[in-house]
Amino acid sequence: AVLRKDAIKLTDNFFEIGGNSIQATQIVSRIRSTFGIDLSLAQFFEFTSIKEISEYLKARLAAKNNEEQDILAALSQVEAMSNAQVGHLLHKNAPV
């Protein structure tokens, strides 16, 4: 809609099909408001096709999910510890 084109391929480069920086700003804003995804203008300039943006966002989401899973696993380990084990762990890692 921003480019006023009917047929855009997933692999079309935004700037090669007539897009400009003002329209890029509009698209980044629409992505943010529609999907709740924070994509910077710099990232949009780096990933210039729908496919590239999609792949980047999927990779970012996967990394975030992996990080969250790691945190949940660590918290589960802490929850399974006794008070003595937690105290020992905290004392062992205390700054000297």
Side-chain angles (χ1 to χ4, degrees):
V2 171
L3 290 175
R4 293 181 176 88
K5 293 191 181 276
D6 292 329
I8 297 175
K9 298 176 191 158
L10 292 176
T11 56
D12 282 345
N13 181 300
F14 173 76
F15 298 102
E16 290 174 2
I17 61 172
N20 61 47
S21 58
I22 292 172
Q23 292 168 320
T25 303
Q26 294 171 347
I27 290 175
V28 166
S29 177
R30 287 183 184 198
I31 289 171
R32 187 175 295 123
S33 65
T34 303
F35 300 107
I37 295 171
D38 188 25
L39 181 70
S40 72
L41 191 56
Q43 290 164 330
F44 189 84
F45 276 83
E46 183 178 350
F47 307 106
T48 58
S49 72
I50 295 169
K51 182 177 181 179
E52 287 176 343
I53 291 170
S54 175
E55 289 171 351
Y56 166 73
L57 293 173
K58 285 192 306 188
R60 200 169 96 183
L61 181 59
K64 181 180 176 183
N65 286 340
N66 287 340
E67 182 179 307
E68 289 174 354
Q69 290 301 319
D70 291 345
I71 291 169
L72 288 173
L75 290 173
S76 293
Q77 289 176 349
V78 171
E79 289 172 350
M81 292 178 170
S82 68
N83 288 337
Q85 289 171 316
V86 172
H88 175 73
L89 182 64
L90 291 174
H91 179 68
K92 178 177 137 182
N93 291 321
V96 178

